[in-house]
Amino acid sequence: MSTREIFDGRIESAVLLLPTVLVSLVFLYYPAVRAFRTSLFDSSFGRQEVFVGVENYVTLLTDSGYHTNVLLSILFAVCVVVGVMVFSLYITFLIHEVDHGQTLYLISAIWPYALPPAVGALVFLFMVHPTLGVLTGPVELLGFDVDWFNNGRQAFVVVALAAIWKQIGYNVIFMIASMNSIPDTLTETANIDGVSRLRRLVSVYAPIMSPTLFFLVIINTIYAFFGTFAFVDLLTGGGPSNATNILIFDLYREGFSYFNFGLASTKSVLLFLVVGILMYIQFRLTDEHSHYGA
Amino acid sequence: MTRIQLQDLRKEFDDVTAVDGIDLTIEDGEFLVIVGPSGCGKSTTLRLLAGLEHATDGRIRMNDRDVTGIEPKNRNIAMVFQNYALYPHMTGRRNISFGMKSAGEFTDREIEKRVDQASETLDIADLLDRKPQAMSGGERQRVALGRAIVRDPDAFLMDEPLSNLDAKLRIQMRAELTKLHSELGTTTVYVTHDQTEAMTLGERVVVMEDGRIMQVDTPQVLYDFPEHRFVAEFIGDPAMNMIDVSLETGSAVHDAFRLPLPTGGAYSEEWTEANRAAVLGIRPEDLYLAKERPNLGQTTFTATVDVTEPLGDSLLLHCSVGESKFKMEAEPRATIEPADEIEVMYDPARLHLFDPETGECRYHSEQSTASLERIENTPEP
Amino acid sequence: MTRIQLQDLRKEFDDVTAVDGIDLTIEDGEFLVIVGPSGCGKSTTLRLLAGLEHATDGRIRMNDRDVTGIEPKNRNIAMVFQNYALYPHMTGRRNISFGMKSAGEFTDREIEKRVDQASETLDIADLLDRKPQAMSGGERQRVALGRAIVRDPDAFLMDEPLSNLDAKLRIQMRAELTKLHSELGTTTVYVTHDQTEAMTLGERVVVMEDGRIMQVDTPQVLYDFPEHRFVAEFIGDPAMNMIDVSLETGSAVHDAFRLPLPTGGAYSEEWTEANRAAVLGIRPEDLYLAKERPNLGQTTFTATVDVTEPLGDSLLLHCSVGESKFKMEAEPRATIEPADEIEVMYDPARLHLFDPETGECRYHSEQSTASLERIENTPEP
Amino acid sequence: LGSDGSNTQFSPIADELTVWHAMGGTNGETLDQIGADFEAETGTAVNMEFQDSYENVLTNTLAAFDSGNVSDMLQVDSLFAQQVLDTGRVEPVANILPDDFETDDFLDNVAEFFTVDGELASLPFNNSNAIMYINRDAFEAAGLDPDDPPTTLAEVRSASEQLVDQDVTQFGITWPNHVWFVETWYAFEGELLTDAENGHAGEPSEFNTPEAVYDLYEWWKGMADDGLYTNPGIEAWGEATSLFIEQESAMLLTSTASVSGLIADSENFEVDAAPYPSISDTRVGPVIGGASFYVPAGLPDDRYDEIGQLLEYMAEPEVQTEWHKGSGYYPITKSSVESLEAEGWFEENPMYRVALNQLQNGDADNPATKRALLGPARNVQTTIQDKSVDIINSDEIDSEIESLKQEVEATLGDYY
Amino acid sequence: MIEPIQYTKQRLASVKEQSTAETGFGSPVGVHLQIWLLVFLVVFPIFVALIVSTKPQGIVTSLSDLVPGTYAVENYREAIVDYNFARYMWNSFVMAVIIVVGKLIVSVCAAMAIVYYRVPYKNLVFLFILFTLMLPVPVRFIPLFQLINDLGWGNTLLAITVPYLASATSVFILRQHFLSIPTSIVETAKLDGVGPVKFLFSVLIPMSKGVLVGVSIIMFVYAWNQYLWPLVIIDSQANQVAQVGLSLLEGDVQGGQLSWSLVMAGSMLTLIPPLALMILFRKPLLETFSIQQK
Ligand SMILES: Nc1ncnc2c1ncn2[C@@H]1O[C@H](COP(=O)(O)OP(=O)(O)OP(=O)(O)O)[C@@H](O)[C@H]1O
Ligand SMILES: Nc1ncnc2c1ncn2[C@@H]1O[C@H](COP(=O)(O)OP(=O)(O)OP(=O)(O)O)[C@@H](O)[C@H]1O
Ligand SMILES: [Mg+2]
Ligand SMILES: [Mg+2]
């Protein structure tokens, strides 16, 4: 109907955009392009770079171990994204439902977000270390054998849980605002109709919050792929048997432990492609299930 | 269908008393309208009925069952909100069926049957597959109604369901609501701040102010025999003129005129004391231009026209007489202009006197016995 | 003060033509109201005037200066929006002075003087130090008006400025707007979809539909001599009754009645052809119960009452005659009930005939010469 | 000066000498103190800059090579030695140290390891080897003789069984999953990790898996399966130590450098040090762990004079003694050992002696006791660590060991 | 505009009040119990970390160890005084504040250009900015490193602030918020002939206070928790940030030093600023991030 575009000055707008664009170009795009260039070289610590063309790509794409890592990372991302969203949505919902102490609950729920990932990982280790963990004893009392240094599946779960735990805060921050902006009359209608709490959350709130949820899916996906390095590094070192060797850790180790920059760059380009494709799929999916309008 | 009784109902919020001791019986199948200015506690009353608020005090009974502490979903009522409260992400059909599905008391087939039935009643079959944002305001309102009727509740509660619609649509929906009610016969409590809506829809109308009930009556009785200055001014558009007068035996005296008051039952001795101050109430349509009704030949007085407003079907005159201002209606095509002096006549049967302090009505020039009779004669709701 | 001319103005959005070739002259100091249903292009027209949209075609002149391509700020107009558009973080005073400060043409003292003056005019002195969220709807609207008048613009443009207010407040603000306009005398273009607002505020009213102007006239002329079925139905509440009839020489024939049409200037030969279909328009208030006006002794017909709506000052009857439905007004205290048979009489001077295909008006029973005369006699705006 | 391939002219970061190190905590403080003392003595200022980890020292060095502004000394984990050497951009310290510097003063095993191609490539500084710590109280409680701790894996097992069976501790033994322990086992057994004398004589390409390694892993797996050993996590030095301090495990394999810390933290029991348990009765000797200081090539000559002074200073007996006492790393020059003995340090602190003895008893001439010098050392390290877990979790030890061999060899092949 | 919202909130509160009262929907006791459980799970680690920081050498291995030790003062003193932790915190703080302020300015400018200017290709520019989300740090690490050195920024404050100034999320969130400001207000400004600068400072910024504060908190947390990049680019210990300082506290682990308690004391210290900000500005943080339709 009406427009917000009230200014015309092209030069002005260029000036306004310049800092962001410039910083993006210089410090984000240019290094990324350089990384792409490096991926075509055999380049390792302090040694002469040798142009090898696509050899690094060929190496990785034919390496079944790497394939496993890709699948593992995607699985990990799915678990983390779903876990974070479900848990955050539920806890946000519960807090939304109570009258007293909302703020206290909220602050409590979001604090891990303020914690640096490395510390988060360390603190989490205190909880669940197979022999030293505070919670290990109680969990084992329940008849569950905590053995994630040897058991790949458990290790995967532990790293995912840590990653989820750390990211809840960020999600709750966005979800609570979104949930609070849902008109009360919808809640009241649902209550009069006898719609159960859970059903209200799933069938009423979640769809209405979909723009926020979609934003969070994107952010969480990026987090799951790029922001979870510290948990793997500190908890499992990618093991056991590569069970937690997700791409970002693998790439980091390739670059900064093994100092194979060529291969590491290739891995980063491939990681970028994987994430890019996933994003594309996500956008397509949400386009189809397009929102209900403003 | 349900008979609903409110007994000394009150609701206090932290610092305000929103509902201040209400006693009211809503008859089975009745269409009751609650009207009043903003903040008078209409919505709160309705929400108490729905169970969305907890009464601070008092009881609510439905069919003699005490539901005061019962949860909304167990009261078997349906509510329609001003903003429709449709789920934006669901189609019309899902919006209508969602509540039933949740309740889980209905089979899928039954749900489908009822939705179809409701959509036929409301003529919304073609809206069922659209989402709310693809519907106009009126269509949304209709879907919201569909959602309410489909569950066949004991009572409908509606909180200003039409006030988000534009004028034309509001009139149309008003008629549809009346029709719907006559078809379904479900007890309905309808909240509005619009007196026209109250008058046209309500079998009985409750006028509220400040959390209290000022009067409950059929629309025409409210209009003709307001028991309180507040009701008199609230009901009727343009509002009843209120002119400060002093009373002398048998007359209301104003600087500029002296109106004889027809004798009759309804005013007490003390009101005949000389020089007692009172407020004279006359509705704009009970004032005439003397020249338009030459044959009535009654007391007249002279006033000055301040502003004229053509309303199409009449010409609204804003006039002054002495210190007092009043409004009156003239023939639509009368050629009257501001500053004209006019000769004004009134309908002696339609005078009211109010206590200037309490606002209570002390006198209707039409015999109160007659009026009472009329009240009793009004068709059963 | 300004004379504004729109010449063949059009505005196309991607897929819709919002304004479809408008020619209109707004006289200096006039209060012009644009009315029409939702989506008819009212706002777009106003926004073209303001310079917020760029015309696809056509010209806009203010005082003979072509402003079609001029920036809004250089048109010296002020606009008032439906949602007030007050800056939420600024006090009333800053809201009012902000635009002037931005323009930079005024000294601080002058600004202060003007703000005080405007706040006196609008009686908002005590709002100046509050922020919008501490004001009621009406108060906000007043501050928004203050912001508009303080700059002493050549023209005010108002887009449904009252529609966020509740009914009572709307009526009050309406009166204030009239007063304000008579004090300031600034050319004003006012958009509304509410016909009552249009009728009471406008010196002239533009009725639009589908991006076109259907009629421009004074309110009463619009009401009495609608040039199009659309206008007839849009103006007036309840709307004009439209009954399908067929024409015979000098009469409109319906299954259930036959109305003689007073002869007069306004209908052409072909309309007298036998059996030609037409739509007969009669306003509800031009129909009477025969028993209420026994002395008129005219043609009557019999109808059945479907629904009665007490409006307080009248009783609205929804009636059927044969296949046709119509509404009429009866005395408020008439004891008429649904299913009653009534004898209906009409005012022969107030009949209209419309072309069933084009909707154009073919006939007013009052002589068109007389009507034209009346138009000329209406007081100068 | 100048080595092959590099004629880059580097410039120092600052006027002061800059040393990039990875010593956090009190060790870092001790290092700062050494720097301050040096400044007091010579007037040359030193910035000891903590770089978080050995890996990050390398990362920063890499960037420094790129930018041209390099630190004057960098502390490099012995694991990364070959990688640093392979850059060709470091100057052997032999060329920088004053001519009168007595390289012979380094303990033989130390000198052996840090000498490459006949030259002292870097200045050894913080060195240690792996030993075993025991919980004397627990041993006694289990009826074991704390003065006769197990010396072979078999003995460790039987001691563990006794400890666990009698519920004295939950586990018998633990150690961080770090390649160093595997290396130490290889060395005691006299076995080379790779061909080419563990990389000291050419480019290695083969990973050796002698019988003893099968014995090692069978034992390891058996210990794990029977709950006698607990895995504290990959490179989990801290966790392993905590397990020991918390008396979850009565034996701990870890660095000699932990002595002082363990003594301080074991408030509730008496701790003792014992030699590293060997796979069999063969006890050739341990490998050296820890780090040494490298110096970039291509700095201005006068700079090298200052650096040489600092290097020399850091090898002085007093400094070494101070460092040893402050950190727990063992003294690496003969003269500092002598001075410590002279002051009766080892009598008062017999546990410090165990490590030194173990080192000195080792056969410095046997190439097996020279820690592997592999280009892709870190890569090989993580492979061995990861694979160790796989092996002990597998029922097919042989094939897992075979796959370990293949992976390591593949890594070697990629690098060379 | 605002009144109804407040009113709605009151109303919401009253609905909730009753939902948790005797007869609320579902079981209110259950809701509180669930919140307690979930919030406990989220909060528990910090509790453990806090306890650890008061112990002599740290590590808490079972629930029965969860009693505060007596070394709190000692540990915190050691971290702050002996390890100069205050200094690192200050460095972090300076870095974070510069990043927040810079990012805010840069992002507001960009979002303003994107929303309020009628310029071609601005959606493309927006995409260009959003795309940077997918360029993970490790991918860019080495080239960025070289770039910073080429620029001669090594070891400077510039190096740890400027590359962060472009922020896709901030631009996105601000853009969403700007889009939610009623057009009529924007158009009023246009009618008044308000220029871009005045519009920015007198209209846009005052109307976005909440979001700006909220975004700032998020930026602050992000900047404060930066670890890898400062670690790599800052060589001088005195200029190092708190997150890197933490590893100094950790000691020479391989060399047998290990002080969980000191690390946790340091972690708790580093947690204070972001947590304090989150608590202090909880309102804007929790109320402003409702992502609406694009
Ligand atoms: N949850 C609440 N907390 C505090 N006060 C409230 C609450 N709900 C309503 N009130 C107050 O109670 C009074 C009555 O409110 P109510 O909503 O019933 O008025 P209403 O008659 O419906 O008005 P309107 O026509 O504006 O909807 C008002 O003063 C209102 O401010
Ligand atoms: N910016 C726009 N882009 C596309 N179509 C538009 C735009 N603005 C208006 N329209 C369309 O132009 C037509 C006229 O719109 P306009 O806003 O002028 O109607 P209106 O008469 O003011 O209606 P209302 O009473 O609902 O405000 C509508 O069909 C509308 O959808
Ligand atoms: Mg209400
Ligand atoms: Mg409009």
Side-chain angles (χ1 to χ4, degrees), chain A residues 29-42:
Chain A
Y29 281 96
Y30 169 72
V33 171
R34 280 270 293 260
F36 176 70
R37 183 189 159 274
T38 308
S39 74
L40 303 175
F41 286 78
D42 180 2

Side-chain angles (χ1 to χ4, degrees), chain C residues 98-209:
Chain C
F98 183 70
M100 291 174 84
K101 288 216 171 111
S102 304
E105 298 160 17
F106 303 92
T107 65
D108 279 2
R109 283 214 28 212
E110 197 171 358
I111 290 176
E112 204 172 319
K113 216 185 79 200
R114 280 175 178 238
V115 172
D116 289 343
Q117 210 172 329
S119 77
E120 206 175 299
T121 312
L122 291 161
D123 194 22
I124 50 171
D126 50 336
L127 301 179
L128 292 184
D129 296 324
R130 285 198 235 152
K131 291 196 177 167
Q133 81 261 38
M135 301 177 193
S136 74
E139 291 170 337
R140 285 180 210 176
Q141 191 52 267
R142 240 174 273 184
V143 173
L145 281 174
R147 180 166 67 181
I149 68 174
V150 77
R151 286 180 52 206
D152 191 17
D154 291 341
F156 291 133
L157 308 180
M158 307 193 183
D159 193 352
E160 316 206 6
L162 305 185
S163 54
N164 273 11
L165 304 179
D166 73 22
K168 293 266 154 185
L169 209 53
R170 208 146 54 205
I171 292 168
Q172 184 189 332
M173 286 300 295
R174 222 156 71 190
E176 290 190 23
L177 278 178
T178 312
K179 198 175 120 226
L180 195 68
H181 181 249
S182 72
E183 277 174 36
L184 303 175
T186 311
T187 311
T188 305
V189 184
Y190 185 105
V191 161
T192 179
H193 63 255
D194 177 8
Q195 50 108 358
T196 314
E197 236 166 81
M199 294 294 279
T200 52
L201 281 172
E203 287 168 351
R204 280 195 305 158
V205 175
V206 177
V207 183
M208 281 185 74
E209 189 185 38

Side-chain angles (χ1 to χ4, degrees), chain E residues 150-267:
Chain E
D150 290 349
L151 291 172
W153 289 2
N155 232 340
T156 64
L157 205 53
L158 286 177
I160 50 172
T161 52
V162 176
Y164 290 114
L165 294 186
S167 160
T169 27
S170 315
V171 172
F172 177 78
I173 291 171
L174 289 174
R175 172 182 176 268
Q176 291 314 103
H177 175 74
F178 289 170
L179 287 178
S180 75
I181 292 178
T183 29
S184 59
I185 286 189
V186 179
E187 290 186 332
T188 300
K190 180 172 172 115
L191 289 170
D192 285 343
V194 175
V197 175
K198 184 148 190 187
F199 180 70
L200 177 64
F201 286 101
S202 299
V203 179
L204 213 47
I205 291 179
M207 287 190 69
S208 313
K209 271 189 220 140
V211 168
L212 292 178
V213 172
V215 168
S216 299
I217 305 292
I218 289 187
M219 289 177 187
F220 183 91
V221 170
Y222 175 80
W224 180 262
N225 287 343
Q226 283 309 311
Y227 169 69
L228 286 175
W229 178 244
L231 166 64
V232 168
I233 203 69
I234 299 293
D235 303 329
S236 136
Q237 195 176 322
N239 296 338
Q240 206 45 278
V241 297
Q243 305 309 334
V244 180
L246 278 180
S247 65
L248 186 67
L249 296 181
E250 202 171 277
D252 175 11
V253 173
Q254 200 163 343
Q257 287 185 355
L258 155 90
S259 13
W260 299 118
S261 49
L262 220 49
V263 175
M264 283 305 121
S267 302

Side-chain angles (χ1 to χ4, degrees), chain C residues 11-274:
Chain C
K11 174 69 186 177
E12 284 160 24
F13 293 106
D14 304 338
D15 42 358
V16 274
T17 304
V19 173
D20 195 3
I22 280 187
D23 283 292
L24 180 67
T25 302
I26 302 154
E27 297 298 336
D28 188 16
E30 182 176 25
F31 198 119
L32 183 91
V33 175
I34 304 180
V35 73
S38 185
C40 71
K42 306 179 295 291
S43 297
T44 308
T45 308
L46 203 69
R47 294 165 56 76
L48 285 167
L49 261 172
L52 290 172
E53 305 279 0
H54 291 277
T56 311
D57 208 353
R59 308 270 84 190
I60 303 170
R61 295 172 180 281
M62 295 196 176
N63 286 335
D64 296 325
R65 180 174 71 125
D66 187 333
V67 297
T68 319
I70 301 284
E71 279 285 291
K73 62 173 174 182
N74 297 329
R75 297 191 182 194
N76 197 22
I77 45 91
M79 191 149 168
V80 180
F81 291 89
Q82 170 171 358
N83 65 357
Y84 323 128
L86 294 182
Y87 301 111
H89 57 289
M90 299 183 187
T91 60
R93 180 184 298 280
R94 270 216 78 202
N95 257 298
I96 293 175
S97 59
F98 183 70
M100 291 174 84
K101 288 216 171 111
S102 304
E105 298 160 17
F106 303 92
T107 65
D108 279 2
R109 283 214 28 212
E110 197 171 358
I111 290 176
E112 204 172 319
K113 216 185 79 200
R114 280 175 178 238
V115 172
D116 289 343
Q117 210 172 329
S119 77
E120 206 175 299
T121 312
L122 291 161
D123 194 22
I124 50 171
D126 50 336
L127 301 179
L128 292 184
D129 296 324
R130 285 198 235 152
K131 291 196 177 167
Q133 81 261 38
M135 301 177 193
S136 74
E139 291 170 337
R140 285 180 210 176
Q141 191 52 267
R142 240 174 273 184
V143 173
L145 281 174
R147 180 166 67 181
I149 68 174
V150 77
R151 286 180 52 206
D152 191 17
D154 291 341
F156 291 133
L157 308 180
M158 307 193 183
D159 193 352
E160 316 206 6
L162 305 185
S163 54
N164 273 11
L165 304 179
D166 73 22
K168 293 266 154 185
L169 209 53
R170 208 146 54 205
I171 292 168
Q172 184 189 332
M173 286 300 295
R174 222 156 71 190
E176 290 190 23
L177 278 178
T178 312
K179 198 175 120 226
L180 195 68
H181 181 249
S182 72
E183 277 174 36
L184 303 175
T186 311
T187 311
T188 305
V189 184
Y190 185 105
V191 161
T192 179
H193 63 255
D194 177 8
Q195 50 108 358
T196 314
E197 236 166 81
M199 294 294 279
T200 52
L201 281 172
E203 287 168 351
R204 280 195 305 158
V205 175
V206 177
V207 183
M208 281 185 74
E209 189 185 38
D210 263 356
R212 291 163 188 278
I213 293 183
M214 304 305 286
Q215 190 169 355
V216 188
D217 254 316
T218 59
Q220 197 65 48
V221 173
L222 276 184
Y223 191 83
D224 290 343
F225 303 99
E227 284 169 10
H228 197 279
R229 177 175 175 165
F230 175 78
V231 177
E233 287 187 299
F234 192 81
I235 304 286
D237 170 24
M240 187 185 280
N241 295 304
M242 294 290 168
I243 300 171
D244 288 325
V245 294
S246 67
L247 293 186
E248 285 177 14
T249 319
S251 298
V253 181
H254 182 267
D255 301 347
F257 59 84
R258 160 186 288 260
L259 298 186
L261 298 171
T263 48
Y267 74 114
S268 52
E269 281 306 295
E270 44 170 337
W271 279 80
T272 54
E273 283 168 26

Side-chain angles (χ1 to χ4, degrees), chain B residues 38 166-168 170-171 174-175 178 193 196 199-200 219-220 223-224 233-234 236-237 285-286 309-313 329 332-333 337 350 374 379, chain C residues 166-168 170-171 174 193-196 199-200 219-220 223-224 233-234 236-237 239 285-286 307 309-313 329 332-333 350 374 379:
Chain B
S38 185
D166 72 22
K168 294 267 152 187
R170 207 145 57 206
I171 293 168
R174 222 157 69 191
T178 312
H193 63 256
T196 314
M199 296 293 279
T200 50
Q220 198 64 48
Y223 192 82
D224 289 344
E233 286 186 299
F234 192 80
D237 171 27
E285 73 269 21
D286 294 330
E309 279 189 358
L311 296 176
D313 56 350
E329 287 179 7
R333 284 153 288 265
E337 288 182 41
R350 314 224 59 80
R374 199 189 324 263
Chain C
D166 73 22
K168 293 266 154 185
R170 208 146 54 205
I171 292 168
R174 222 156 71 190
H193 63 255
D194 177 8
Q195 50 108 358
T196 314
M199 294 294 279
T200 52
Q220 197 65 48
Y223 191 83
D224 290 343
E233 287 187 299
F234 192 81
D237 170 24
E285 74 270 19
D286 294 330
V307 174
E309 278 190 358
L311 296 176
D313 57 349
E329 287 177 8
R333 284 154 289 265
R350 315 222 58 80
R374 201 192 320 268

Side-chain angles (χ1 to χ4, degrees), chain E residues 79-93:
Chain E
I80 296 169
V81 180
D82 297 355
Y83 287 101
N84 222 348
F85 211 68
R87 163 96 218 180
Y88 305 131
M89 299 254 296
W90 172 248
N91 293 340
S92 282
F93 191 76

